[in-house]
Amino acid sequence: MIAPYIVGIGGTTRPGSSGERMVRAVLAATERNGATTRMFGGAELSALPHFAPEDAERSDAQREFVEAVRAADGIVIGSPGYHGGVSGLVKNAIDLLEDLRDDRRVYFDGRAVGLVVTAAGWQACGVTLQALRGIVHAMRGWPTPIGIAVNTFEQQPFAQDGSLADDGLRRQVAMQADQILLLAGATR
Ligand SMILES: Cc1cc2nc3c(=O)[nH]c(=O)nc-3n(C[C@H](O)[C@H](O)[C@H](O)COP(=O)(O)O)c2cc1C
């Protein structure tokens, strides 16, 4: 059987971005269950030019990103709460997925999308998670029942060695990974 392919998108350009580490944690949990993964974190997302629908040309970085999502059996998106919403860096990458509009599996169609938000307060955690769910619905994806919100002001998700230190978050990461793989297994 071919391993499910899960693509992670998100985080910030900040070294040690908690959002990127959380998305990587979900990918790692899918890998433990047999998936192969690809991560587009802060560095890769900042290599994507500002999306312009009228541009006919695509850069190598843009093509690589679109092809990865096109091939994905499941997706994880992580955004910080920036001024009460999804960051421009993450939204720019999502907007580029307009290139999937004419695909048989348009946008995120038929794929589970795990969502992760990191913010310095619960209000931004909640509204940003809700905004991401709306985006995924608009793009015909299936947001997993488990959405993960981390309040980086109140929570210390990671230990010194980089492992996920919080039991509750560890459980949520494992559940989200299972839910992504469940739909991936049912639709392949
Ligand atoms: C430009 C900017 C805007 C932000 N706006 C909010 C906000 O509206 N609400 C909030 O709770 N935190 C806000 N934050 C804090 C970030 O959401 C928080 O630091 C988050 O952990 C950043 O993610 P990262 O750890 O992946 O870099 C903001 C941070 C920046 C840099």
Side-chain angles (χ1 to χ4, degrees):
M1 199 184 98
I2 302 166
Y5 178 52
I6 312 300
V7 170
I9 304 165
T12 65
T13 53
R14 199 176 65 75
S17 159
S18 54
E20 181 167 333
R21 292 162 86 186
M22 287 299 299
V23 174
R24 286 185 186 278
V26 179
L27 292 184
T30 67
E31 282 176 8
R32 286 193 288 278
N33 288 297
T36 57
T37 68
R38 173 83 194 265
M39 179 69 198
F40 292 86
E44 291 78 14
L45 298 182
S46 3
L48 300 176
H50 203 158
F51 173 69
E54 67 279 11
D55 281 353
E57 294 294 309
R58 294 284 180 251
S59 69
D60 288 348
Q62 285 178 312
R63 264 193 296 274
E64 211 176 307
F65 176 70
V66 170
E67 285 310 317
V69 177
R70 179 173 274 140
D73 299 301
I75 296 123
V76 186
I77 300 178
S79 176
Y82 271 7
H83 301 143
V86 177
S87 72
L89 186 73
V90 171
K91 191 59 165 56
N92 183 51
I94 292 172
D95 288 346
L96 174 59
L97 298 176
E98 182 61 10
D99 283 6
L100 303 178
R101 71 182 170 278
D102 293 327
D103 280 24
R104 185 181 58 79
R105 263 192 337 181
V106 60
Y107 305 128
F108 298 136
D109 188 37
R111 271 76 57 82
V113 185
L115 300 172
V116 179
V117 172
T118 55
W122 290 117
Q123 179 165 292
C125 282
V127 295
T128 307
L129 191 55
Q130 196 54 37
L132 282 174
R133 283 186 192 279
I135 290 167
V136 173
H137 282 149
M139 296 174 74
R140 308 199 200 176
W142 298 63
T144 59
I146 287 284
I148 303 174
V150 183
N151 182 331
T152 51
F153 187 72
E154 292 185 4
Q155 294 173 291
Q156 290 283 347
F158 298 98
Q160 290 283 347
D161 65 2
S163 63
L164 197 50
D166 184 291
D167 277 346
L169 287 176
R170 242 198 325 258
R171 275 195 298 275
Q172 291 176 53
V173 162
M175 284 170 77
Q176 186 177 93
D178 285 350
Q179 290 171 356
I180 293 166
L181 293 177
L182 183 71
L183 191 59
T187 54
R188 294 170 80 231

